[in-house]
Amino acid sequence: MDLIIQQSINAISLGGVYAMLALGLAIVFSIVGLINFAHGDIMTFGGYGIFLSLAFGMSPVAALAIGIGAAVVMALTLERTAFRAMRGADVVTLLITSFAVSEILKVLFQNTISARPVPISFPAAWSGTYEIGGATIGVVPTVSIIVAFVSLLGLTLILRRTATGMAMRAAAEDLEMLKLLGVRANRVVAMAFALSGLLAGIAAVIWTAQRGSVDPMMGFFPVLKAFIATVLGGLGSLGGAVLGGFVIGVLEVLTQAFLPDGLSPYRDAIVLALVIAALLWRPDGLLPAQNANRS
Amino acid sequence: MTFKKLLLTTTSALVLTGAAQAEDYVIGVMSAQSGYLAPYDGPAYAGFQFCVDQKNAAGGLNGEYMVKTIVKDTRSDIAEGVKVVQEMLDDGAQFIVSSADADPTIAAAQITMADGIPTMTFAGTAPVLTQVGPHVFGSYPADNQQGAVLAAYARDQGLENVYLVKSPDSAYTLGGPEYFGEVFESLGGNIVGTSNYSLNQPDFSAIVTTIKAAEPQPDVIVTWAWEPDFPAFIKALRGAGLDTQVMGGDVLDTPTVRGLGDVVDGVVHTSGGFPDEGSDYAKFIDDFKAATGTTPDNNYYVNGCDIVNMIEQAVAAAGSTDPVAVTEAMAEIENGKGIMSDFTFKGTDRMPLRDVVVARITGDGEKEFVKRTKADPATLPKP
């Protein structure tokens, strides 16, 4: 029973990070049709923001805030300098642009900061444990779950209860119509990038707190998983992205925990096979967007 | 060395190569400037070039052969590595120094095999890498030497039950723990569990939970995980309240791992060398710092320099720069003089027998010397 509780916490914790990253991808995709593979580098930039803040002697809490802010600034910068000029281009062109931006950022990180991982050391008290029903639970995974859920809840409120959020949802339905109604499209798109940067920054905080280092490739692998999650959930569907993130996280932890040793090298293949099976069953994703983009 | 300096050196080396004289010795160097090998190839190349420059300033190898280097970036891509090795051979390379891992070295060695060009890895430690052919050499203490020394140390400390965390994604991350386990069992210890991870695995909490549930509980956990996987693993382990002793391979001997703070306090790892006060290694660090402004903070720098020493001694013993003669001479070196440590190829499968250091990381981000010894060749696990 303890084992099940602990692995469940692990699964929800990992799923929460994937869900936030997937949601960041989905927000941008739903509005401008961009699958932003530089999203991982925005997360990495947030991680370096934390590292540099700590290196300059700032308090850990201030460093976390700066890390999140750095990710938002980077997301807005990329939107203005790289993606705005490409708006309206087809999906493949946008995809290649995002790969190019991602590669440029990785090389910049490597040559201006370090090719190897740099350590991030938070206070020891932040990585303690507590007991629930005999199970020992880590503070960091618990905080990451709470932060993930609060972030997702906050974003839902923004999207559903604020004028900007409604404009973003309307833009996701029909950007041209939004412009005809007099809404400033650039502002709505920039807001979408800012929110995706915010989610990437929060993910960077959780990720670095759990992993203890930042390297130029830090964001690549989780965003790859998050991309799979958005496809599984339904490209362009915000709810689907969240669901997909949690499904991928749970599948990864369960296969890691319970597959026999001999099968463990096939873990990723098994997870991806299950994703393919789900997409064969529901080709538009688990929770398809209304204007669904078939994966 | 900065990328700009590397480009400058590379360019000048290429220009010089074109005008190479008969007495020049041309060495091709694979050096990844980006990707997962860059953190290892970069320092190794810096140390290598530093000592090449020193030798050339003193009249060349053994005072006879000026060294010309051809340096090419592989981007940590094996296909690119194969391509640049072929280019370097076409440009007249008589010796190839390959990237700091087994897989790119094995790929390079397939290309150099036809002409029997001696090929030596910057720091690959998987003993399987020399199985490609008699022209392939390691330069660093192999994983089976490190595993054997660490296992003997663990048993000396009275540790009985080990849990192995390994990854089948690379020869290094798989082989190290397995060699450790083999020797540990032969010395009376028990393996109480193993877990496999993937390189760049996002999350280690599931593995940590499995370790917590292991019965009996391990009193030591051994992994050859490198960055960023090791920091993620140790953070998850300590974050789950497990304070079990952790041991690992030489890849933990980095400032990044030492900079992780309390979570790595007490972690024990192997290493290729330790700069004792007054040693040749300590002098190398001072000289390198004085010349370049960079303080060598890992063993890849000095090992890069020792590769130059190995080549010089092989060329001296061969009495010529003929590739086959150099290969044969290298394989016969016994107690060759190195800076990190002395080296013996004679009687080995061309992974040099060298000192293995055991070191312990302290909570203040330093490492302390524990012991230095050589593995017993008679009891080394077979690759």
Side-chain angles (χ1 to χ4, degrees):
Chain A
M1 186 61 191
D2 297 352
L3 192 66
I4 291 171
I5 292 173
Q6 286 170 10
Q7 296 292 21
S8 302
I9 297 276
N10 299 338
I12 298 168
S13 169
L14 182 61
V17 176
Y18 286 163
M20 280 194 290
L21 289 170
L23 189 55
L25 286 175
I27 287 173
V28 170
F29 178 81
S30 65
I31 294 178
V32 290
L34 164 70
I35 299 170
N36 185 13
F37 269 95
H39 195 60
D41 304 285
I42 295 171
M43 176 183 170
T44 305
F45 190 70
Y48 280 125
I50 298 168
F51 165 72
L52 291 173
S53 305
L54 290 172
F56 283 110
M58 303 183 96
S59 73
V61 174
L64 297 184
I66 287 175
I68 293 171
V72 173
V73 169
M74 176 56 87
L76 286 170
T77 305
L78 293 185
E79 191 277 325
R80 186 68 190 85
T81 57
F83 297 125
R84 187 175 293 186
M86 304 298 291
R87 200 176 299 160
D90 65 55
V91 171
V92 175
T93 306
L94 289 169
L95 186 66
I96 291 171
T97 305
S98 81
F99 274 126
V101 169
S102 172
E103 282 305 309
I104 290 168
L105 288 175
K106 279 191 192 68
V107 172
L108 283 176
F109 294 150
Q110 182 178 297
N111 287 299
T112 58
I113 302 176
S114 175
R116 69 180 319 133
V118 290
I120 289 185
S121 177
F122 289 123
W126 289 19
S127 52
T129 58
Y130 62 95
E131 302 265 339
I132 287 184
T136 308
I137 309 294
V139 170
V140 172
T142 311
V143 170
S144 83
I145 291 171
I146 294 168
V147 169
F149 275 104
V150 168
S151 304
L152 296 175
L153 186 66
L155 195 73
T156 307
L157 289 175
I158 289 173
L159 289 173
R160 297 202 175 276
R161 299 290 167 87
T162 67
T164 309
M166 278 187 272
M168 287 171 59
R169 286 193 293 136
E173 292 292 321
D174 192 335
L175 188 60
E176 291 306 312
M177 177 58 79
L178 196 72
K179 288 181 193 170
L180 290 173
L181 291 173
V183 177
R184 293 176 62 181
N186 281 347
R187 182 171 290 178
V188 174
V189 173
M191 188 64 188
F193 270 89
L195 282 178
S196 83
L198 179 68
L199 290 168
I202 296 170
V205 166
I206 295 173
W207 207 250
T208 50
Q210 289 182 331
R211 294 178 65 86
S213 69
V214 187
D215 63 277
M217 292 291 287
M218 181 183 90
F220 177 77
F221 294 100
V223 165
L224 195 62
K225 299 289 171 60
F227 172 65
I228 295 168
T230 57
V231 173
L232 177 64
L235 266 177
S237 159
L238 304 187
V242 174
L243 178 63
F246 278 108
V247 169
I248 297 288
V250 168
L251 283 178
E252 281 200 353
V253 169
L254 290 183
T255 50
Q256 174 78 67
F258 299 113
L259 268 187
D261 246 10
L263 285 178
S264 62
Y266 303 100
R267 193 172 57 248
D268 285 346
I270 290 169
V271 171
L272 290 176
L274 291 170
V275 170
I276 291 169
L279 289 173
L280 286 172
W281 169 52
R282 293 179 72 96
D284 294 331
L286 299 176
L287 287 176
Q290 285 179 358
N291 52 348
N293 294 276
R294 178 165 287 204
S295 17
Chain B
M1 175 166 291
T2 65
F3 185 63
K4 199 178 282 181
K5 280 181 187 166
L6 174 68
L7 275 179
L8 200 61
T9 311
T10 308
T11 311
S12 58
L14 284 170
V15 171
L16 288 169
T17 303
Q21 303 297 306
E23 65 272 30
D24 289 341
Y25 191 57
V26 183
I27 302 177
V29 182
M30 297 166 68
S31 180
Q33 294 301 302
S34 57
Y36 81 101
L37 286 169
Y40 314 104
D41 279 10
Y45 169 66
F48 176 85
Q49 189 64 47
F50 174 71
C51 286
V52 164
D53 292 343
Q54 279 189 328
K55 299 283 182 195
N56 281 345
L61 297 181
N62 308 305
E64 282 187 82
Y65 304 101
M66 295 296 284
V67 176
K68 307 296 183 194
T69 52
I70 310 172
V71 189
K72 300 225 179 197
D73 179 16
T74 67
R75 306 197 307 263
S76 299
D77 181 88
I78 289 184
E80 181 70 11
V82 166
K83 193 186 90 183
V84 303
V85 168
Q86 187 59 60
E87 288 172 356
M88 292 189 290
L89 294 182
D90 293 344
D91 289 340
Q94 297 158 283
F95 196 106
I96 293 291
V97 180
S98 59
S99 278
D101 191 20
D103 300 329
T105 299
I106 289 168
Q110 309 276 357
I111 303 300
T112 55
M113 184 187 294
D115 296 324
I117 302 293
T119 304
M120 179 175 279
T121 174
F122 260 140
T125 52
V128 292
L129 69 87
T130 58
Q131 310 289 308
V132 179
H135 64 301
V136 192
F137 296 89
S139 60
Y140 208 81
D143 295 333
N144 51 354
Q145 295 177 35
Q146 295 184 40
V149 167
L150 194 62
Y153 170 74
R155 288 295 293 138
D156 286 347
Q157 300 307 301
L159 303 173
E160 291 187 355
N161 297 318
V162 63
Y163 195 100
L164 304 177
V165 179
K166 55 191 184 180
S167 170
D169 293 352
S170 89
Y172 180 87
T173 50
L174 179 67
E178 290 190 340
Y179 296 132
F180 179 99
E182 192 176 329
V183 176
F184 194 72
E185 282 191 314
S186 73
L187 296 171
N190 308 304
I191 300 173
V192 297
T194 60
S195 284
N196 289 325
Y197 68 95
S198 307
L199 295 185
N200 288 298
Q201 179 161 310
D203 180 68
F204 281 84
S205 55
I207 287 179
V208 167
T209 304
T210 307
I211 294 174
K212 277 178 81 171
E215 196 57 50
Q217 271 290 287
D219 38 28
V220 58
I221 299 167
V222 169
T223 180
W224 252 235
W226 58 51
E227 302 157 1
D229 295 330
F230 181 79
F233 169 69
I234 195 81
K235 290 278 285 185
L237 188 78
R238 300 302 186 226
L242 277 178
D243 58 359
T244 315
Q245 170 73 60
V246 172
M247 294 186 177
D250 63 291
V251 81
L252 300 187
D253 190 4
T254 73
T256 302
V257 170
R258 291 192 289 275
L260 292 171
D262 294 335
V263 294
V264 290
D265 188 7
V267 167
V268 170
H269 63 80
T270 52
S271 184
F274 194 93
D276 301 300
E277 204 173 316
S279 65
D280 289 347
Y281 190 174
K283 182 177 181 310
F284 168 84
I285 290 175
D286 292 341
D287 292 348
F288 189 94
K289 188 178 177 185
T292 66
T294 301
T295 303
D297 56 10
N298 58 61
N299 289 327
Y300 303 113
Y301 289 92
V302 69
N303 196 60
C305 182
D306 268 350
I307 288 174
V308 183
N309 291 318
M310 290 175 186
I311 294 172
E312 182 175 48
Q313 289 170 50
V315 169
S320 80
T321 56
D322 173 65
V324 175
V326 171
T327 295
E328 288 172 354
M330 182 80 80
E332 290 299 312
I333 291 178
E334 194 168 4
N335 297 320
K337 180 70 181 159
I339 297 174
M340 185 174 81
S341 64
D342 292 349
F343 48 89
T344 291
F345 285 99
K346 187 178 174 66
T348 71
D349 53 1
R350 299 175 309 288
M351 291 299 288
L353 190 62
R354 304 185 75 173
D355 283 346
V356 175
V357 167
V358 177
R360 183 184 297 107
I361 300 174
T362 59
D364 56 358
E366 299 295 324
K367 65 174 175 179
E368 59 187 21
F369 179 84
V370 176
K371 69 181 288 190
R372 178 186 278 113
T373 187
K374 275 193 180 70
D376 178 0
T379 58
L380 275 184
K382 297 293 176 213

